[in-house]
mmCIF file of all heavy atoms in Angstrom:
data_model
loop_
_atom_site.group_PDB
_atom_site.id
_atom_site.type_symbol
_atom_site.label_atom_id
_atom_site.label_comp_id
_atom_site.label_asym_id
_atom_site.label_seq_id
_atom_site.Cartn_x
_atom_site.Cartn_y
_atom_site.Cartn_z
ATOM 1 N N LYS A 63 74.442 -159.296 97.385
ATOM 2 C CA LYS A 63 75.481 -160.307 97.247
ATOM 3 C C LYS A 63 76.587 -160.150 98.287
ATOM 4 O O LYS A 63 77.779 -160.192 97.977
ATOM 5 C CB LYS A 63 76.076 -160.272 95.836
ATOM 6 C CG LYS A 63 75.068 -160.603 94.736
ATOM 7 C CD LYS A 63 75.706 -160.569 93.363
ATOM 8 C CE LYS A 63 74.688 -160.926 92.281
ATOM 9 N NZ LYS A 63 75.283 -160.879 90.922
ATOM 10 N N GLY A 64 76.197 -159.948 99.540
ATOM 11 C CA GLY A 64 77.163 -159.833 100.622
ATOM 12 C C GLY A 64 77.775 -158.460 100.788
ATOM 13 O O GLY A 64 78.525 -158.222 101.738
ATOM 14 N N GLN A 65 77.482 -157.557 99.871
ATOM 15 C CA GLN A 65 77.992 -156.193 99.963
ATOM 16 C C GLN A 65 76.932 -155.313 100.631
ATOM 17 O O GLN A 65 75.750 -155.430 100.327
ATOM 18 C CB GLN A 65 78.304 -155.638 98.575
ATOM 19 C CG GLN A 65 79.279 -156.487 97.781
ATOM 20 C CD GLN A 65 79.456 -155.959 96.376
ATOM 21 O OE1 GLN A 65 80.199 -155.022 96.133
ATOM 22 N NE2 GLN A 65 78.732 -156.562 95.429
ATOM 23 N N VAL A 66 77.381 -154.437 101.517
ATOM 24 C CA VAL A 66 76.447 -153.560 102.224
ATOM 25 C C VAL A 66 76.912 -152.111 102.102
ATOM 26 O O VAL A 66 78.075 -151.801 102.354
ATOM 27 C CB VAL A 66 76.333 -153.935 103.717
ATOM 28 C CG1 VAL A 66 75.386 -152.970 104.439
ATOM 29 C CG2 VAL A 66 75.846 -155.367 103.875
ATOM 30 N N ILE A 67 75.993 -151.263 101.692
ATOM 31 C CA ILE A 67 76.247 -149.826 101.636
ATOM 32 C C ILE A 67 75.145 -149.131 102.436
ATOM 33 O O ILE A 67 73.962 -149.384 102.230
ATOM 34 C CB ILE A 67 76.243 -149.292 100.195
ATOM 35 C CG1 ILE A 67 77.376 -149.930 99.389
ATOM 36 C CG2 ILE A 67 76.363 -147.778 100.172
ATOM 37 C CD1 ILE A 67 77.405 -149.493 97.939
ATOM 38 N N ILE A 68 75.556 -148.280 103.370
ATOM 39 C CA ILE A 68 74.604 -147.516 104.171
ATOM 40 C C ILE A 68 74.887 -146.041 103.956
ATOM 41 O O ILE A 68 76.020 -145.584 104.155
ATOM 42 C CB ILE A 68 74.693 -147.868 105.663
ATOM 43 C CG1 ILE A 68 74.471 -149.372 105.880
ATOM 44 C CG2 ILE A 68 73.673 -147.061 106.467
ATOM 45 C CD1 ILE A 68 74.698 -149.831 107.300
ATOM 46 N N LEU A 69 73.876 -145.303 103.516
ATOM 47 C CA LEU A 69 74.023 -143.875 103.235
ATOM 48 C C LEU A 69 73.092 -143.090 104.145
ATOM 49 O O LEU A 69 71.890 -143.359 104.189
ATOM 50 C CB LEU A 69 73.691 -143.574 101.771
ATOM 51 C CG LEU A 69 74.418 -144.436 100.734
ATOM 52 C CD1 LEU A 69 73.462 -145.512 100.189
ATOM 53 C CD2 LEU A 69 74.936 -143.574 99.591
ATOM 54 N N GLU A 70 73.652 -142.161 104.883
ATOM 55 C CA GLU A 70 72.844 -141.294 105.746
ATOM 56 C C GLU A 70 72.930 -139.867 105.220
ATOM 57 O O GLU A 70 74.016 -139.305 105.089
ATOM 58 C CB GLU A 70 73.323 -141.351 107.197
ATOM 59 C CG GLU A 70 72.475 -140.509 108.136
ATOM 60 C CD GLU A 70 72.840 -140.672 109.599
ATOM 61 O OE1 GLU A 70 73.395 -141.730 109.951
ATOM 62 O OE2 GLU A 70 72.585 -139.734 110.384
ATOM 63 N N PHE A 71 71.765 -139.288 104.937
ATOM 64 C CA PHE A 71 71.705 -137.967 104.331
ATOM 65 C C PHE A 71 71.452 -136.887 105.371
ATOM 66 O O PHE A 71 70.981 -137.161 106.474
ATOM 67 C CB PHE A 71 70.591 -137.926 103.274
ATOM 68 C CG PHE A 71 70.793 -138.901 102.153
ATOM 69 C CD1 PHE A 71 70.201 -140.161 102.191
ATOM 70 C CD2 PHE A 71 71.584 -138.590 101.060
ATOM 71 C CE1 PHE A 71 70.387 -141.075 101.164
ATOM 72 C CE2 PHE A 71 71.784 -139.489 100.029
ATOM 73 C CZ PHE A 71 71.183 -140.735 100.084
ATOM 74 N N TYR A 72 71.749 -135.650 104.993
ATOM 75 C CA TYR A 72 71.382 -134.524 105.839
ATOM 76 C C TYR A 72 69.861 -134.476 105.940
ATOM 77 O O TYR A 72 69.152 -134.752 104.970
ATOM 78 C CB TYR A 72 71.906 -133.217 105.247
ATOM 79 C CG TYR A 72 73.392 -133.035 105.417
ATOM 80 C CD1 TYR A 72 74.281 -133.427 104.408
ATOM 81 C CD2 TYR A 72 73.913 -132.478 106.579
ATOM 82 C CE1 TYR A 72 75.649 -133.258 104.564
ATOM 83 C CE2 TYR A 72 75.277 -132.314 106.738
ATOM 84 C CZ TYR A 72 76.139 -132.706 105.731
ATOM 85 O OH TYR A 72 77.492 -132.551 105.883
ATOM 86 N N PRO A 73 69.317 -134.119 107.103
ATOM 87 C CA PRO A 73 67.860 -134.172 107.292
ATOM 88 C C PRO A 73 67.066 -133.213 106.433
ATOM 89 O O PRO A 73 65.937 -133.500 106.071
ATOM 90 C CB PRO A 73 67.695 -133.854 108.793
ATOM 91 C CG PRO A 73 68.946 -133.126 109.158
ATOM 92 C CD PRO A 73 70.020 -133.724 108.322
ATOM 93 N N ASN A 74 67.623 -132.075 106.104
ATOM 94 C CA ASN A 74 66.901 -131.088 105.298
ATOM 95 C C ASN A 74 67.718 -130.783 104.051
ATOM 96 O O ASN A 74 68.668 -130.014 104.088
ATOM 97 C CB ASN A 74 66.662 -129.807 106.102
ATOM 98 C CG ASN A 74 65.753 -128.836 105.355
ATOM 99 O OD1 ASN A 74 65.508 -128.996 104.163
ATOM 100 N ND2 ASN A 74 65.248 -127.847 106.066
ATOM 101 N N GLN A 75 67.328 -131.386 102.936
ATOM 102 C CA GLN A 75 68.084 -131.210 101.701
ATOM 103 C C GLN A 75 68.113 -129.750 101.246
ATOM 104 O O GLN A 75 69.033 -129.331 100.553
ATOM 105 C CB GLN A 75 67.487 -132.079 100.601
ATOM 106 C CG GLN A 75 67.575 -133.562 100.910
ATOM 107 C CD GLN A 75 67.109 -134.404 99.747
ATOM 108 O OE1 GLN A 75 66.990 -133.919 98.635
ATOM 109 N NE2 GLN A 75 66.834 -135.668 100.001
ATOM 110 N N LEU A 76 67.112 -128.968 101.627
ATOM 111 C CA LEU A 76 67.049 -127.581 101.186
ATOM 112 C C LEU A 76 68.154 -126.735 101.804
ATOM 113 O O LEU A 76 68.469 -125.653 101.302
ATOM 114 C CB LEU A 76 65.681 -126.979 101.546
ATOM 115 C CG LEU A 76 64.480 -127.634 100.844
ATOM 116 C CD1 LEU A 76 63.198 -126.974 101.312
ATOM 117 C CD2 LEU A 76 64.612 -127.513 99.332
ATOM 118 N N LEU A 77 68.744 -127.208 102.896
ATOM 119 C CA LEU A 77 69.809 -126.465 103.548
ATOM 120 C C LEU A 77 71.160 -126.683 102.876
ATOM 121 O O LEU A 77 72.125 -125.987 103.151
ATOM 122 C CB LEU A 77 69.922 -126.878 105.026
ATOM 123 C CG LEU A 77 68.715 -126.550 105.908
ATOM 124 C CD1 LEU A 77 68.955 -127.058 107.313
ATOM 125 C CD2 LEU A 77 68.438 -125.056 105.919
ATOM 126 N N ILE A 78 71.233 -127.672 102.005
ATOM 127 C CA ILE A 78 72.486 -128.001 101.343
ATOM 128 C C ILE A 78 72.573 -127.297 100.005
ATOM 129 O O ILE A 78 71.700 -127.438 99.152
ATOM 130 C CB ILE A 78 72.619 -129.523 101.147
ATOM 131 C CG1 ILE A 78 72.417 -130.235 102.485
ATOM 132 C CG2 ILE A 78 73.957 -129.888 100.536
ATOM 133 C CD1 ILE A 78 73.402 -129.825 103.545
ATOM 134 N N GLN A 79 73.629 -126.534 99.805
ATOM 135 C CA GLN A 79 73.788 -125.833 98.544
ATOM 136 C C GLN A 79 74.075 -126.821 97.421
ATOM 137 O O GLN A 79 74.693 -127.856 97.629
ATOM 138 C CB GLN A 79 74.943 -124.835 98.641
ATOM 139 C CG GLN A 79 74.686 -123.719 99.638
ATOM 140 C CD GLN A 79 75.863 -122.770 99.710
ATOM 141 O OE1 GLN A 79 76.916 -123.032 99.138
ATOM 142 N NE2 GLN A 79 75.686 -121.666 100.401
ATOM 143 N N GLU A 80 73.644 -126.473 96.237
ATOM 144 C CA GLU A 80 73.914 -127.326 95.087
ATOM 145 C C GLU A 80 75.406 -127.319 94.798
ATOM 146 O O GLU A 80 76.038 -126.266 94.759
ATOM 147 C CB GLU A 80 73.160 -126.812 93.856
ATOM 148 C CG GLU A 80 71.674 -127.117 93.906
ATOM 149 C CD GLU A 80 71.393 -128.605 93.925
ATOM 150 O OE1 GLU A 80 72.041 -129.347 93.166
ATOM 151 O OE2 GLU A 80 70.551 -129.025 94.715
ATOM 152 N N PRO A 81 76.034 -128.494 94.624
ATOM 153 C CA PRO A 81 77.461 -128.547 94.368
ATOM 154 C C PRO A 81 77.796 -128.089 92.954
ATOM 155 O O PRO A 81 76.963 -128.117 92.061
ATOM 156 C CB PRO A 81 77.784 -130.044 94.523
ATOM 157 C CG PRO A 81 76.514 -130.726 94.155
ATOM 158 C CD PRO A 81 75.405 -129.815 94.631
ATOM 159 N N GLU A 82 79.058 -127.664 92.800
ATOM 160 C CA GLU A 82 79.509 -127.331 91.460
ATOM 161 C C GLU A 82 79.549 -128.595 90.623
ATOM 162 O O GLU A 82 79.780 -129.680 91.120
ATOM 163 C CB GLU A 82 80.909 -126.712 91.529
ATOM 164 C CG GLU A 82 80.931 -125.374 92.248
ATOM 165 C CD GLU A 82 82.329 -124.801 92.272
ATOM 166 O OE1 GLU A 82 83.217 -125.411 91.655
ATOM 167 O OE2 GLU A 82 82.528 -123.755 92.900
ATOM 168 N N GLU A 83 79.323 -128.428 89.345
ATOM 169 C CA GLU A 83 79.295 -129.586 88.455
ATOM 170 C C GLU A 83 80.678 -130.212 88.372
ATOM 171 O O GLU A 83 81.679 -129.530 88.135
ATOM 172 C CB GLU A 83 78.834 -129.149 87.069
ATOM 173 C CG GLU A 83 78.538 -130.328 86.151
ATOM 174 C CD GLU A 83 77.866 -129.869 84.875
ATOM 175 O OE1 GLU A 83 77.112 -128.880 84.938
ATOM 176 O OE2 GLU A 83 78.101 -130.486 83.831
#
Side-chain angles (χ1 to χ4, degrees):
K63 297 181 179 179
Q65 304 175 81
V66 178
I67 297 178
I68 303 173
L69 309 103
E70 182 174 335
F71 299 95
Y72 285 94
N74 188 346
Q75 297 186 16
L76 296 179
L77 295 178
I78 307 301
Q79 295 179 352
E80 285 298 317
E82 295 181 5
E83 190 170 327

